[in-house]
Amino acid sequence: MTHSETEITSGLIYDLLQEQHPDLAGLTIREVAGGWGNQMWRLGDELAVRMPRTENAPDLQRKECRWLPVLAPRLPLPVPNPVRIGEPSARFPKSWAIMTWVPGEALDYTSISRGDHAADTLAGFLRALHVEAPADAPISEDRGDHPKKCTDGFDHFFHAVVPDDLADDVRAVWDDAVAAPEWEGPPLWVHGDLHPANVVVSDGTLSGVIDFGAMFAGDPAWDLAAAWVILPAGAASRFFDVYAHADKDKATIRRARGLAALKSLFLMLMGQNGDRGLPGGKPTWGPAGRAALDRVLQSWYSSPPWP
């Protein structure tokens, strides 16, 4: 699922910098573990080089470089901001980018110990992000739809990873989301891919949000799923109290909970693939996905579906 036709090494990064951004070539280059569409390298203490390794990664990078400077000034958490663009060349055939580095440790490698603070922080971040998007904002091709249009993906993940003893409950959560009314508001700015590998943690709480390649204008339920996918057990209720927008729209919470189940299963499958050594697999995502699924189900057990 991830590949690059060119081996990406520190030597290649140095050569590209010398060729296109020589004023930055003297900074220390260090590879960063993780990443999906992009392989990332630290550049000094404040920058990161993002090298695409999937076919659509350059397009997603261009989207980030176009819109993050618009969004970042009003967001209350650090996010990557483009600093330089790398052009395709004989050394590397795709465009690449130099972004600001967001300090912290990715959540799939650590945990949140200050749950209330993290709930408040995430709610404040999404309140600031979820404003009406302009007419020329990007529309997602592979996410953003109502859950009823995502049943094929859900079924694939469901049959691949759901334990038999949880199958009925997981299916009930999803069916309730499918039955929920659609988003009736204007398209809002949505991160679109909030999960443990795309947020960073410092001092036990959220300290930054990264990887906006999936950003789109649409249904905020895709981000509100993070109440279960990212926050620790028991924090979702506080999150929704602080976020407040969804309090009068129970349908959005129903869709968000179903999408949280979908995302949890995806994380579990990527973890399973990682344990098996398959391309694109992420061993750290499996435990994060199972913990998120447990939180989704606990929410289901403690509060019946809204009418």
Side-chain angles (χ1 to χ4, degrees), residues 157-215:
F157 302 148
F158 180 89
H159 292 300
V161 299
V162 171
D164 290 342
D165 61 324
L166 298 181
D168 289 345
D169 292 327
V170 174
R171 177 65 67 178
V173 171
W174 181 250
D175 288 346
D176 181 59
V178 168
E182 296 191 15
W183 171 248
E184 296 181 351
L188 305 184
W189 274 117
V190 178
H191 178 283
D193 199 22
L194 289 176
H195 61 72
N198 286 342
V199 297
V200 296
V201 172
S202 300
D203 299 323
T205 189
L206 292 178
S207 59
V209 178
I210 59 177
D211 197 348
F212 282 72
M215 76 172 86

Side-chain angles (χ1 to χ4, degrees), residues 18-299:
Q18 283 277 39
E19 181 181 87
Q20 299 189 32
H21 303 285
D23 59 312
L24 301 178
L27 297 175
T28 303
I29 301 169
R30 292 163 286 166
E31 186 173 6
V32 178
W36 181 266
N38 298 282
Q39 186 172 345
M40 190 156 61
W41 299 74
R42 288 286 300 272
L43 182 60
D45 293 329
E46 299 181 355
L47 301 175
V49 179
R50 298 178 72 204
M51 303 295 294
R53 55 183 177 186
T54 59
E55 183 177 351
N56 66 342
D59 291 338
L60 300 182
Q61 274 195 10
R62 283 189 285 272
K63 179 168 63 171
E64 289 180 288
C65 291
R66 164 67 178 90
W67 290 106
L68 277 173
V70 176
L71 298 176
R74 59 179 174 78
L75 297 178
L77 284 176
V79 300
N81 249 313
V83 175
R84 305 282 181 88
I85 301 297
E87 300 295 337
S89 66
R91 295 184 184 275
F92 191 75
K94 301 174 182 177
S95 61
W96 45 283
I98 301 174
M99 314 283 283
T100 55
W101 173 256
V102 178
E105 186 174 9
L107 181 56
D108 59 322
Y109 285 93
T110 186
S111 61
I112 291 172
S113 58
R114 298 164 61 197
D116 286 351
H117 189 282
D120 294 351
T121 300
L122 180 62
F125 177 84
L126 292 182
R127 281 178 62 99
L129 175 63
H130 290 169
V131 300
E132 186 170 351
D136 59 340
I139 304 298
S140 178
E141 296 181 356
D142 61 351
R143 66 193 75 205
D145 284 331
H146 188 281
K148 65 186 177 184
K149 298 180 181 179
C150 304
T151 53
D152 288 346
F154 175 84
D155 287 342
H156 172 68
F157 302 148
F158 180 89
H159 292 300
V161 299
V162 171
D164 290 342
D165 61 324
L166 298 181
D168 289 345
D169 292 327
V170 174
R171 177 65 67 178
V173 171
W174 181 250
D175 288 346
D176 181 59
V178 168
E182 296 191 15
W183 171 248
E184 296 181 351
L188 305 184
W189 274 117
V190 178
H191 178 283
D193 199 22
L194 289 176
H195 61 72
N198 286 342
V199 297
V200 296
V201 172
S202 300
D203 299 323
T205 189
L206 292 178
S207 59
V209 178
I210 59 177
D211 197 348
F212 282 72
M215 76 172 86
F216 63 88
D219 181 357
W222 281 81
D223 281 353
L224 299 180
W228 298 281
V229 176
I230 288 176
L231 297 176
S237 178
R238 182 181 179 108
F239 165 83
F240 283 111
D241 285 344
V242 176
Y243 181 82
H245 296 342
D247 188 48
K248 299 178 182 178
D249 183 8
K250 302 305 184 184
T252 297
I253 302 180
R254 292 168 62 190
R255 294 193 307 277
R257 185 160 53 180
L259 292 169
L262 175 71
K263 291 169 181 274
S264 300
L265 300 185
F266 168 75
L267 292 170
M268 291 169 65
L269 180 57
M270 291 302 99
Q272 184 182 94
N273 288 348
D275 293 340
R276 295 173 177 175
L278 299 177
K282 301 287 184 181
T284 59
W285 290 17
R290 178 54 198 266
L293 184 64
D294 288 343
R295 294 190 292 268
V296 170
L297 294 180
Q298 184 59 45
S299 171

